[in-house]
C-alpha cells in the first residue's frame, strides 16, 4: 500500500468537505496541521456532525501542544480516556488491574489536573476553584489526578505528603490495596527523589503497575523507574487527536495498537533514517484523519520506512536540530547521554548560531558527572551537533509552561530559572 486510503475509508469520509478535492483527484496528499486549521470547522462540517455537536455527542477540544502550537479538533466526549481504558483492559501486563477494578492514580501536569477540575465544575454549573479539592480531581469513578503544582522539582514535603495520602485512599478501595500509577515519567522520577530525600517510602503504597504516557521518556528515566518499582513499568504512545497507537511492555519493546488505523513512514529529509509518522485513522467518527502528519518521529530497526519495524519514538518533528550531517532528534541526544552518564536525569541542549552547543543537565542524586564523563559528554555533543560542546550541571532545571520539559533551545541559554 502506498499510503492512499482504502475504499472503505474513502466511503466513510466522502461527505467531509476537506477531502472532496482529494476524492475527485483520486489522490490524498499528506494532511498537515495548518490544512486542518484552515477553514475550521466548516471544512469538517457535515449534517451528521452538526447534529452530534448539538446533541453533545461531539465537542471541540484543543490538542495538548507540549512544545508546539495547539490545534483545535472535534471528537466524541472522553475520546482519549476511552482509548486509554480500552488499551488498559487489553494490555497483557495491565489487564488484570482493569478487571479487578483498580483505581488509576494520575501524576502528570497541573494543566491536566486543572482541566479535570474545570470539567467537573462545569457539570455542576460552577467555576473551578484555583486550588481544586480532591473531590474535584476525580475524572470518573476510576481516575483521580494528584498534582497541583507546575514544577514537580519544587514540590514541598507537605505537597508530597498530601499526594501520598490521596494515593493511599485510592489504593484502599481495592481489597489488596492494588492500584495503577499513571504518570508523566519525569513527574514520577521527581516523586521518587522526594521520597528518598525525606525517607517517605513507608508511606507510599507500592503500585500494581506503572504507566507513563504523556511525554518522551529518556532512557535513563525509564531505567531509573524500572529499577525503583517492582512491577510492570510500561509506556503508551498516542495523542489527543488520535488516541493510543502503540504500547510498550516491561522489557521496553513496542507493539502496535492500530484498530481503526494504518500508519506509514516518510523520511524527515532525503537519506535520513528518522521518519515522520503518518497516520490514517477513522477511530474518531467526527474527524477522521487521512494521511495525517502527527508530528512525531520514529526510528526503525533497519532504518527502513517499514512501520512494522518501529523500535523507537524519538521526539517531535518540529524539534529536530539541523546539523551538517542531517537532522538530529531528541532520541539521538538521549542515546548518547544514557550511554555515557546513566546518572543524568534531565537534559536540555542549548545551541547558538554561530557558536557552540551546551548540554544542561541534572542528575538523580544531585552529584555532577565526573570529569571523565563530563569530557565524554562534551565530545558526544560535538559529534552529534557539529558544534563545540560543553556540559553544565544544575541542581534544578525549570519546566515549561505546559508542565513538560523541552529538550532543545536555539538561543544558547537554558530556559529561564535554571540554577
Amino acid at each position: 500500500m502506498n499510503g492512499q486510503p482504502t475504499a472503505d475509508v474513502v466511503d466513510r469520509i466522502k461527505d467531509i468537505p476537506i477531502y472532496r478535492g482529494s476524492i475527485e483527484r483520486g489522490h490524498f496528499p499528506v494532511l498537515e496541521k495548518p490544512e486542518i486549521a484552515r477553514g475550521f470547522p466548516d471544512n469538517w462540517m457535515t449534517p451528521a456532525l452538526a447534529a452530534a455537536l448539538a446533541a453533545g455527542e461531539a465537542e471541540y477540544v484543543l490538542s495538548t501542544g507540549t512544545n508546539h502550537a495547539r490545534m483545535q479538533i472535534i471528537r466524541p466526549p472522553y475520546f482519549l480516556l476511552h482509548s486509554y481504558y480500552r488499551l488498559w483492559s487489553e494490555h497483557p501486563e495491565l489487564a488484570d488491574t482493569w478487571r479487578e477494578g483498580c483505581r488509576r492514580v494520575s501524576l502528570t501536569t497541573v494543566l491536566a489536573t486543572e482541566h479535570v477540575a474545570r470539567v467537573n465544575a462545569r457539570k455542576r454549573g460552577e467555576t473551578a476553584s484555583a486550588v481544586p479539592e480532591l473531590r474535584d480531581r476525580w475524572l470518573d469513578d476510576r481516575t483521580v489526578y494528584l498534582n497541583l503544582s507546575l514544577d514537580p522539582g519544587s514540590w514541598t514535603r507537605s505537597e508530597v505528603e498530601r499526594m501520598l495520602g490521596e494515593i493511599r485512599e485510592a489504593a484502599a478501595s481495592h481489597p489488596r490495596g492494588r492500584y495503577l500509577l499513571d504518570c508523566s515519567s519525569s513527574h514520577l522520577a521527581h516523586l521518587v527523589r522526594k521520597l528518598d530525600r525525606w525517607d517517605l517510602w513507608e508511606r507510599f503504597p507500592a503500585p500494581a503497575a506503572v504507566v507513563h504516557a504523556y511525554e518522551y521518556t529518556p532512557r535513563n528515566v525509564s531505567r531509573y523507574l524500572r529499577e525503583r518499582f517492582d512491577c510492570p513499568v510500561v509506556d503508551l504512545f498516542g495523542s489527543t487527536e488520535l488516541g493510543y497507537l502503540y504500547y510498550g511492555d516491561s522489557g521496553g519493546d513496542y507493539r502496535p495498537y492500530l484498530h481503526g488505523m494504518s500508519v506509514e513512514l516518510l523520511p524527515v529529509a532525503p537519506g535520513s533514517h528518522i521518519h515522520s509518522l503518518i497516520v490514517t485513522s477513522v477511530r474518531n467518527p467526527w474527524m477522521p484523519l487521512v494521511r495525517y502528519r502527527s508530528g512525531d518521529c520514529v526510528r526503525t530497526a533497519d532504518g527502513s520506512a517499514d512501520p512494522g519495524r518501529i523500535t523507537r519514538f524519538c521526539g517531535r518533528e518540529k524539534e529536530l536540530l539541523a546539523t551538517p550531517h542531517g537532522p538530529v532528534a531528541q532520541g539521538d541526544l538521549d542515546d548518547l547521554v544514557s550511554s555515557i552518564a546513566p546518572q543524568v536525569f534531565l537534559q536540555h541542549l542549548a545551541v547558538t548560531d554561530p557558536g557552540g552547543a551546551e548540554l544542561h543537565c541534572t542528575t538523580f542524586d544531585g552529584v555532577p558527572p565526573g570529569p571523565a564523563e563530563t569530557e565524554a559528554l562534551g565530545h558526544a555533543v560535538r559529534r552529534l551537533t557539529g558544534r563545540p560542546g560543553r556540559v553544565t550541571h544544575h541542581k534544578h532545571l525549570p519546566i515549561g509552561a505546559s508542565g513538560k520539559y523541552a529538550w532543545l533551545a536555539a538561543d544558547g541559554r537554558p530556559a529561564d530559572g535554571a540554577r
Side-chain angles (χ1 to χ4, degrees):
M1 182 177 172
N2 62 358
Q4 295 300 302
T6 63
D8 177 64
V9 170
V10 173
D11 185 64
R12 292 190 186 207
I13 64 172
K14 64 180 183 297
D15 296 326
I16 302 176
I18 194 172
Y19 295 124
R20 285 175 185 161
S22 297
I23 293 173
E24 292 170 359
R25 291 187 296 271
H27 176 80
F28 288 76
V30 171
L31 181 62
E32 309 283 359
K33 286 178 167 56
E35 185 63 23
I36 290 175
R38 188 175 296 117
F40 185 91
D42 293 343
N43 54 357
W44 296 93
M45 196 59 62
T46 65
L49 175 54
L53 287 166
E57 297 169 359
E59 63 181 5
Y60 294 102
V61 297
L62 291 171
S63 63
T64 52
T66 303
N67 296 302
H68 53 88
R70 303 180 78 186
M71 177 178 70
Q72 194 168 30
I73 60 175
I74 306 169
R75 67 181 191 187
Y78 301 108
F79 172 77
L80 187 60
L81 180 69
H82 292 159
S83 177
Y84 187 109
Y85 281 0
R86 176 171 174 176
L87 179 48
W88 179 6
S89 71
E90 297 175 359
H91 191 290
E93 295 176 276
L94 305 177
D96 62 324
T97 62
W98 172 265
R99 289 192 300 269
E100 292 179 15
C102 294
R103 295 286 177 85
R104 170 184 172 228
V105 175
S106 190
L107 182 66
T108 181
T109 69
V110 68
L111 275 69
T113 305
E114 291 169 347
H115 172 73
V116 171
R118 285 195 301 270
V119 169
N120 286 333
R122 189 162 58 243
K123 289 178 182 176
R124 300 191 301 266
E126 302 173 0
T127 300
S129 169
V131 182
E133 297 179 7
L134 178 58
R135 70 181 183 92
D136 296 323
R137 292 184 270 116
W138 279 95
L139 178 60
D140 56 14
D141 61 352
R142 294 294 291 264
T143 296
V144 63
Y145 285 75
L146 302 179
N147 184 28
L148 294 175
S149 298
L150 176 63
D151 187 350
S154 299
W155 280 334
T156 64
R157 178 166 182 153
S158 62
E159 286 181 286
V160 171
E161 289 176 339
R162 171 191 58 77
M163 290 189 287
L164 293 179
E166 292 171 0
I167 294 172
R168 289 195 301 273
E169 182 176 330
S173 67
H174 187 276
R176 290 183 289 145
R178 304 186 83 210
Y179 70 99
L180 180 75
L181 180 52
D182 168 78
C183 66
S184 296
S185 56
S186 58
H187 284 67
L188 183 55
H190 277 297
L191 180 63
V192 169
R193 297 178 73 229
K194 302 288 187 181
L195 296 179
D196 285 343
R197 177 181 176 184
W198 294 314
D199 193 23
L200 293 172
W201 279 101
E202 290 187 358
R203 299 169 64 176
F204 175 75
V210 172
V211 173
H212 45 73
Y214 302 101
E215 61 185 347
Y216 176 89
T217 296
R219 290 190 185 276
N220 284 350
V221 175
S222 179
R223 181 177 59 250
Y224 181 71
L225 296 179
R226 286 187 166 91
E227 290 173 349
R228 302 307 297 268
F229 292 95
D230 185 22
C231 66
V233 179
V234 304
D235 183 51
L236 305 184
F237 174 82
S239 69
T240 305
E241 63 271 25
L242 293 168
Y244 291 95
L245 290 78
Y246 289 82
Y247 65 85
D249 58 28
S250 56
D253 296 323
Y254 284 94
R255 302 285 185 270
Y257 192 71
L258 298 172
H259 64 87
M261 290 184 171
S262 62
V263 300
E264 59 181 299
L265 305 182
L266 298 177
V268 298
S272 176
H273 288 172
I274 303 173
H275 292 85
S276 295
L277 186 66
I278 311 298
V279 183
T280 293
S281 173
V282 295
R283 274 191 202 168
N284 177 355
W286 309 124
M287 199 169 173
L289 299 169
V290 177
R291 303 196 73 206
Y292 167 63
R293 188 186 301 274
S294 71
D296 299 293
C297 296
V298 305
R299 285 189 178 273
T300 57
D302 56 0
S304 72
D306 180 358
R309 299 184 67 82
I310 291 175
T311 56
R312 191 83 191 280
F313 299 94
C314 54
R316 300 288 300 174
E317 192 169 352
K318 282 193 172 183
E319 297 165 15
L320 292 173
L321 174 65
T323 75
H325 51 268
V328 165
Q330 180 177 5
D332 301 327
L333 175 68
D334 181 34
D335 288 345
L336 288 176
V337 171
S338 64
S339 68
I340 296 169
Q343 72 272 42
V344 166
F345 174 19
L346 302 174
Q347 50 189 279
H348 177 88
L349 185 67
V351 299
T352 57
D353 276 321
E358 184 171 7
L359 177 64
H360 301 271
C361 68
T362 71
T363 55
F364 294 110
D365 60 7
V367 178
E373 290 169 319
T374 299
E375 183 179 4
L377 286 170
H379 287 317
V381 168
R382 180 166 191 153
R383 289 197 309 273
L384 185 70
T385 66
R387 303 163 180 264
R390 59 176 295 197
V391 180
T392 302
H393 175 263
H394 300 263
K395 291 295 185 182
H396 174 270
L397 284 174
I399 203 163
S402 65
K404 301 184 182 182
Y405 291 98
W407 82 278
L408 179 67
D411 59 3
R413 299 169 297 173
D416 292 342
R419 53 184 185 274

